[in-house]
Amino acid sequence: MKQFAVIGLGRFGSSVARTLARLGHQVIAIDSDEAKVEALMNEVTTAIQADARDEEALKAAGIRNVDVAIVAIGENVEANILVTLIVKEMGIKCVVAKALNDLHGKVLAKIGADKVVFPERDMGVRVAHTLASGNVLEHIDLSPEYSIVEIVAPTRVAGKTLGQLNLRAQHGVSVMAIKRNDKILAAPGADDVVEEGDIMVLVGRNKALERLQES
């Protein structure tokens, strides 16, 4: 389990925050808009109304302790750049920043963003992944090298335990959760059995995930 901070709770930011929380991670969600904060109050670890341009407010929110900070501020480019700079200078290990266009992205990269995302373009990439591999339901980029994917369990794995499949040793991929009908089995163990029709939530290096889907 990692700790994430999501700053800016528009459509993109709130979607990222909800998804990370549902995957079992701790999420601090921050926005200056009270309504947006209240909308996520019961879905994330902590939801805070604050002006992210205020470094002291970010420190008070506990942001220095997170593994990854996602700057999802969209409309205010100046605030987006300033907040990216602030969280980077606070020493957060990985800062992911949303860009509106290529020029904006170049500025974010120059001031130290570890990963720059273009939500509309990246959505196209996820759709392409889904179309290219029929059993991939969702694809989330965590970094340039790592992703989370949801796949329908292939027939060849049905009836086997996770210990028998040994995906971590065989492919370098970890099973974060198994979805079965309306139930979610979080952090499944070696004795848990994969059933036909299960949805497996996997995390690993992109190349490892691709090899697993092809095998």
Side-chain angles (χ1 to χ4, degrees):
M1 183 175 62
K2 287 188 175 183
Q3 291 183 309
F4 293 84
V6 180
I7 303 168
L9 303 178
R11 186 167 57 182
F12 170 69
S14 60
S15 176
V16 170
R18 285 191 178 98
T19 302
L20 289 169
R22 288 169 185 167
L23 291 171
H25 295 289
Q26 293 185 355
V27 179
I28 300 172
I30 300 171
D31 199 286
S32 59
D33 187 322
E34 183 180 1
K36 291 177 180 178
V37 172
E38 289 183 352
L40 280 177
M41 193 76 73
N42 297 321
E43 298 187 61
V44 299
T45 312
T46 309
I48 299 170
Q49 182 185 3
D51 183 347
R53 294 170 296 184
D54 182 346
E55 184 173 353
E56 293 305 315
L58 291 179
K59 288 178 180 177
I63 195 173
R64 285 181 295 183
N65 300 319
V66 304
D67 299 296
V68 182
I70 298 126
V71 181
I73 299 169
E75 296 179 0
N76 189 332
V77 173
E78 181 181 349
N80 171 289
I81 293 170
L82 178 59
V83 172
T84 299
L85 185 59
I86 289 172
V87 296
K88 190 63 184 177
E89 290 185 343
M90 289 172 69
I92 294 170
K93 288 177 283 187
C94 180
V95 177
V96 180
K98 171 186 174 180
L100 299 180
N101 51 52
D102 287 338
L103 180 59
H104 183 197
K106 288 178 182 178
V107 172
L108 291 169
K110 283 189 177 295
I111 64 173
D114 298 286
K115 179 175 174 61
V116 177
V117 296
F118 301 81
E120 290 186 3
R121 189 178 72 187
D122 290 352
M123 177 59 75
V125 171
R126 285 197 291 274
V127 170
H129 275 285
T130 302
L131 295 174
S133 181
N135 63 342
V136 175
L137 302 180
E138 182 62 273
H139 180 280
I140 302 171
D141 291 319
L142 294 180
S143 76
E145 294 185 0
Y146 285 87
S147 295
I148 295 172
V149 297
E150 289 187 1
I151 69 169
V152 178
T155 304
R156 66 178 182 279
V157 308
K160 295 181 180 179
T161 67
L162 292 180
Q164 290 173 321
L165 294 172
N166 204 10
L167 295 179
R168 186 190 294 272
Q170 296 290 334
H171 297 279
V173 171
S174 297
V175 181
M176 298 178 65
I178 296 174
K179 297 181 180 181
R180 183 173 299 150
N181 299 322
D182 295 329
K183 297 180 180 179
I184 297 179
L185 176 61
D191 295 330
D192 287 306
V193 177
V194 179
E195 298 180 3
E196 188 170 356
D198 281 354
I199 296 171
M200 302 170 68
V201 183
L202 310 174
V203 61
R205 289 183 179 273
N206 295 332
K207 290 182 179 179
L209 292 166
E210 289 169 6
R211 285 197 300 270
L212 177 62
Q213 294 162 34
E214 292 168 358
S215 63

